Amino acid sequence: MSTLSAVEVTERLKSLPGWRLEGKEIVRTFEFPDFAAAMQFVNAVAEQAESAGHHPDIDVRYNKVKLALSSHDAGGLTERDMRMAEKLKELA
Amino acid sequence: MSTLSAVEVTERLKSLPGWRLEGKEIVRTFEFPDFAAAMQFVNAVAEQAESAGHHPDIDVRYNKVKLALSSHDAGGLTERDMRMAEKLKELA
């Protein structure tokens, strides 16, 4: 899968509120009332990741979860990352 | 709870294989066969964290899980961190 250009990424991010470009990744931090709620979200993300065969980096800081998406095999951001970010919208 | 001295931390780390000091935290990276196994570990850690009321930072990178322990309220490492690291030994 080919990587997206900076212009394409910027365009796609308009419909992905909360996500921002950081280097070759798109990242978003989700905040929850407590650790238990954060972990519930992490498990929902994990399920989506497994079913899509595409795994975000997941950083848990008590009630905050930062996700980072990139297509390491392609060397940057691809359509797969955008699709995964779209799917994660429904979970948060 | 009072923070441990550098000497105390170094002494305690001798019985915590894999853990190392990084600034005001102790960290360890655990590796698993795949993402599903990594997530199983993350959930076991989360359960321990909730029951102890002490939550490590958790970074998931596909099949690798990095944990970081510190007592932010005390401003450094305390006995609580060492006790949690001991408990996590049994899970890995």
Side-chain angles (χ1 to χ4, degrees):
Chain A
M1 193 169 272
S2 63
T3 56
L4 300 170
S5 70
V7 172
E8 285 170 320
V9 170
T10 307
E11 192 53 43
R12 297 300 297 272
L13 285 181
K14 286 179 188 165
S15 61
L16 292 168
W19 289 89
R20 64 185 190 279
L21 183 64
E22 253 187 37
K24 289 186 170 187
E25 301 177 329
I26 52 170
V27 305
R28 181 173 169 188
T29 300
F30 301 77
E31 197 165 342
F32 300 92
D34 55 25
F35 179 72
M39 280 304 304
Q40 233 175 338
F41 174 70
V42 166
N43 279 296
V45 170
E47 209 175 299
Q48 281 284 353
E50 281 290 74
S51 87
H54 194 47
H55 303 78
D57 291 345
I58 305 171
D59 293 358
V60 186
R61 299 290 177 273
Y62 190 60
N63 67 326
K64 292 189 188 73
V65 180
K66 182 181 172 185
L67 302 181
L69 280 162
S70 191
S71 296
H72 300 289
D73 47 349
L77 287 159
T78 67
E79 202 51 50
R80 289 181 89 190
D81 302 303
M82 301 302 160
R83 277 207 298 266
M84 178 60 70
E86 286 285 352
K87 276 185 192 158
L88 296 174
K89 249 187 193 175
E90 299 152 28
L91 302 180
Chain B
M1 192 170 274
S2 61
T3 57
L4 301 169
S5 70
V7 173
E8 285 169 320
V9 170
T10 306
E11 193 53 43
R12 297 299 297 274
L13 285 180
K14 285 179 189 166
S15 61
L16 292 167
W19 289 88
R20 65 184 190 280
L21 184 64
E22 253 187 36
K24 288 185 171 186
E25 301 178 328
I26 53 170
V27 305
R28 182 174 169 188
T29 300
F30 301 78
E31 197 166 339
F32 300 92
D34 55 26
F35 180 72
M39 280 304 304
Q40 233 175 339
F41 174 70
V42 166
N43 280 296
V45 169
E47 208 174 301
Q48 281 283 352
E50 281 291 74
S51 88
H54 194 46
H55 302 79
D57 291 344
I58 306 171
D59 293 357
V60 185
R61 300 290 177 274
Y62 190 61
N63 68 326
K64 292 189 187 73
V65 180
K66 181 181 171 185
L67 302 181
L69 281 162
S70 191
S71 296
H72 300 289
D73 48 350
L77 288 159
T78 67
E79 201 52 49
R80 290 182 88 191
D81 302 303
M82 301 304 159
R83 276 207 299 265
M84 178 59 70
E86 286 286 351
K87 275 186 192 156
L88 296 174
K89 249 187 193 176
E90 299 152 29
L91 302 180

